[in-house]
Amino acid sequence: MPAESPLRDRIGAGLGLIETMRFENGQFVRLDLHLARLQGSARELGFRLDCKDVLAALDPLRNGPSLQRIRLVLSQDGAVNVTGAAFAPQPETTVWRVAIADTRLASGDPLLRHKTTQRMAYEAARDEFAPDEADEVLLVNQRGEVCEGTITSLFVDF
C-alpha cells in the first residue's frame, strides 16, 4: 500500500498524474525532468510508480512519427497509459490571442502543485471564450497572480 498522503482525501477515483512531453530526434525531450516531477507527485499523492513501467510504455512510441506530442497518464495503481500524436511546431512568427479567465485558482490548494487529470478549472476557463476569441486562456489566483495557461506552460525568456 502507498505511503499516507495529506492529500489522499482529495484524490477521487480515476484521478491520474499527467506528463506531456515531446519526442524529437529519437529522444523524449527532458525525459529525466518529466520522470522526476512524476516521481515527486506520485510520492506525495501516494500513487504507485515503477519507472521501468513508464519507460516500457514509452518505448513503442519510438517507432512512430519523428516529431510527436506525448501524453502520459499514471493511475493511482501504477498503470501507465501513453498516447502519441504527430506534432508540428508553430512558426516563430505565430501570434497567439491570449485571454485571462474569470475562473480563479486557489493559491492555497496543494493539489495544484501537481499536474493531474483534475481539469475542471481549466475547462471552465477555456469555456469562457469562443475558439476564435482566444488561442490560450491564462488562469490567475484570487490575488490576481498569473499561475498557468490552460494548454501551455508559462515562462519568461530573458
Side-chain angles (χ1 to χ4, degrees):
M1 170 166 273
E4 288 300 316
S5 167
L7 296 175
R8 181 168 300 232
D9 61 341
R10 297 269 316 276
I11 300 172
L15 182 77
L17 296 175
I18 300 172
E19 286 296 325
T20 304
M21 62 191 92
R22 188 167 61 196
F23 179 79
E24 183 175 8
N25 298 323
Q27 302 292 320
F28 295 97
V29 178
R30 297 182 189 89
L31 181 60
D32 57 335
L33 297 175
H34 287 286
L35 289 176
R37 179 171 50 197
L38 188 63
Q39 287 174 313
S41 291
R43 185 174 34 256
E44 186 170 338
L45 298 177
F47 281 49
R48 291 185 55 204
L49 172 62
D50 184 333
C51 285
K52 288 183 272 185
D53 293 340
V54 172
L55 296 174
L58 289 171
D59 196 52
L61 296 174
R62 293 180 184 279
N63 298 321
S66 60
L67 186 58
Q68 297 179 64
R69 178 183 180 272
I70 308 298
R71 179 180 167 98
L72 181 149
V73 178
L74 176 70
S75 299
Q76 292 169 298
D77 65 0
V80 179
N81 181 289
V82 294
T83 54
F87 174 73
Q90 296 284 331
E92 288 186 27
T93 57
T94 300
V95 176
W96 283 44
R97 294 161 298 164
V98 178
I100 297 178
D102 289 330
T103 300
R104 295 292 185 252
L105 297 177
S107 61
D109 184 349
L111 195 55
L112 291 175
R113 293 192 313 254
H114 307 280
K115 294 183 69 143
T116 73
T117 55
Q118 184 174 314
R119 305 286 302 163
M120 290 79 61
Y122 305 91
E123 292 164 4
R126 297 274 320 164
D127 288 345
E128 292 178 29
F129 300 91
D132 63 344
E133 293 178 303
D135 299 306
E136 172 59 304
V137 180
L138 301 180
L139 286 148
V140 300
N141 64 22
Q142 74 280 4
R143 297 187 298 256
E145 299 164 333
V146 178
C147 299
E148 60 185 315
T150 58
I151 61 170
T152 61
S153 296
L154 298 176
F155 64 92
V156 176
D157 188 10
F158 291 99

